Amino acid sequence: MKKEFAVIGLGRFGGSICRELSREGMEVLALDLDEDKVNEYRDIASHAVIADSTDENVLKELGFRNIDHVIVAIGDNIQASMLTTLILKEMGIKMITVKAQNDYHEKILNKIGADQVVHPERDMGKRIAHNIISNNILDYIELSDDHSVVEVKAGSKMGGQTLVDLDIRAEYGCNVVAIKRDKDVIVSPMATEEIKESDVLIVIGADKDISRFEKNLV
Ligand code: ATP
Ligand code: ATP
Ligand code: CA
């Protein structure tokens, strides 16, 4: 059976999720208080409805019980976001993803039982900051408060040398978990693997270690 999704709040973030899920052929119920927003998604989502998600009866009437994954993308109205999440949780929705507006909001969402809390502005800000530090830093993914994964172009500082030559784990406490070379991915590379300038390295480690690695080798 096909998975069913619902997106509550069709701002830029929720709207983008709705578009992408629909483009991928998923069944999506789009919901917003605002008539104009809903009209924008009539031809994109499987269903688009004008409704207030803080009204439990409305969500029940719309059949939210049968939805597998709900994305709550209400921004500024933190109270509405929390109340909606709480109602969905009480309805027994298996997977609830919520966009947090700030750290305080995030904390409460976790307490209420949101399965996934996302913080797109903050996370994208971090990614872009790392990309600004060096054009060779392609991506940056937070694993926890103090651990991350970075994707970096090897460049001239690392090209032509092996992992042993660079002694990355011993020197920086980070691990190269994979090397992307053209269409190939070398998972768990050998210490003797010679890095090419055009390689992309996937590096995992504590933020402070990654930071030293970025400063010295990227
Ligand atoms: P973005 O940054 O993603 O553009 P935002 O963070 O600025 O959005 P808002 O514009 O505050 O978020 O909210 C997103 C959408 O959520 C709006 O279109 C708004 O109408 C809708 N919304 C707010 N409260 C509710 C509610 N109780 N029920 C349904 N939709 C709601
Ligand atoms: P370690 O003492 O760090 O476990 P090791 O005894 O397993 O290393 P090798 O696997 O030969 O020795 O690696 C030698 C050195 O090369 C390591 O100490 C490390 O600094 C570096 N190195 C090897 N593989 C990696 C990797 N995947 N990521 C980062 N550094 C590596
Ligand atoms: Ca916003």
Side-chain angles (χ1 to χ4, degrees), residues 103 106 119-134 137-150 207 214:
D103 292 346
E106 179 169 6
H119 217 137
E121 288 94 348
R122 184 194 63 189
D123 295 347
M124 193 48 81
K126 282 192 185 179
R127 284 180 172 188
I128 291 172
H130 282 265
N131 188 255
I132 287 168
I133 293 170
S134 164
I137 300 173
L138 303 175
D139 207 351
Y140 178 93
I141 301 157
E142 221 172 46
L143 293 178
S144 72
D145 282 349
D146 43 20
H147 287 80
S148 306
V149 175
V150 285
D207 289 342
E214 285 177 1

Side-chain angles (χ1 to χ4, degrees), residues 126-127 129-141 148-154 157-158 168 172 174 203 206-218:
K126 282 192 185 179
R127 284 180 172 188
H130 282 265
N131 188 255
I132 287 168
I133 293 170
S134 164
N135 283 329
N136 284 348
I137 300 173
L138 303 175
D139 207 351
Y140 178 93
I141 301 157
S148 306
V149 175
V150 285
E151 200 178 64
V152 299
K153 262 189 253 167
K157 282 193 187 166
M158 292 188 269
I168 296 176
Y172 303 102
C174 308
V203 183
D207 289 342
K208 59 171 178 28
D209 294 330
I210 291 208
S211 181
R212 279 191 305 123
F213 166 80
E214 285 177 1
K215 278 201 195 93
N216 290 293
L217 292 181
V218 184

Side-chain angles (χ1 to χ4, degrees), residues 163-171 174-178 188-192:
L163 291 170
V164 185
D165 294 337
L166 295 165
D167 210 11
I168 296 176
R169 184 161 55 233
E171 280 290 320
C174 308
N175 256 295
V176 177
V177 292
S188 302
M190 305 268 281
T192 50

Side-chain angles (χ1 to χ4, degrees), residues 171-205:
E171 280 290 320
Y172 303 102
C174 308
N175 256 295
V176 177
V177 292
I179 298 174
K180 289 206 248 179
R181 182 171 297 158
D182 301 322
K183 286 196 176 69
D184 295 329
V185 178
I186 306 164
V187 179
S188 302
M190 305 268 281
T192 50
E193 186 71 44
E194 188 179 303
I195 297 166
K196 296 188 189 335
E197 224 177 288
S198 57
D199 284 352
V200 171
L201 311 184
I202 314 295
V203 183
I204 189 167

Side-chain angles (χ1 to χ4, degrees), residues 8-15 31-34 37 51-55 73-77 80-81 84 99 101 121:
I8 297 176
L10 301 170
R12 283 160 300 178
F13 180 69
L31 183 152
D32 201 293
L33 275 177
D34 187 281
K37 290 267 170 64
D52 182 348
S53 63
T54 61
D55 186 335
I74 298 173
D76 298 337
N77 191 343
S81 156
T84 299
K99 173 187 158 171
Q101 196 78 336
E121 288 94 348

